[in-house]
Amino acid sequence: MKPEDQREYQRRQQSRAIAMAIVLGAFVILFFAISIAKMN
């Protein structure tokens, strides 16, 4: 694997990790909102 290919792979992997973190955070907020709504 060439160095530029490796950099591209790492960049793609990082953007995928960020996207997964955003999705996970959205689920946490969603569950939090649902649990608050059920309490009221």
Side-chain angles (χ1 to χ4, degrees):
M1 190 182 270
K2 288 181 282 186
E4 55 267 13
D5 289 342
Q6 197 168 2
R7 272 197 292 274
E8 175 66 25
Y9 176 75
Q10 284 175 338
R11 192 183 61 76
R12 209 176 295 137
Q13 202 173 29
Q14 187 181 15
S15 62
R16 194 177 299 136
I18 290 169
M20 284 299 292
I22 290 169
V23 169
L24 210 65
F27 271 118
V28 168
I29 291 167
L30 189 69
F31 277 112
F32 187 67
I34 289 170
S35 59
I36 286 176
K38 283 189 175 184
M39 273 187 231
N40 293 337

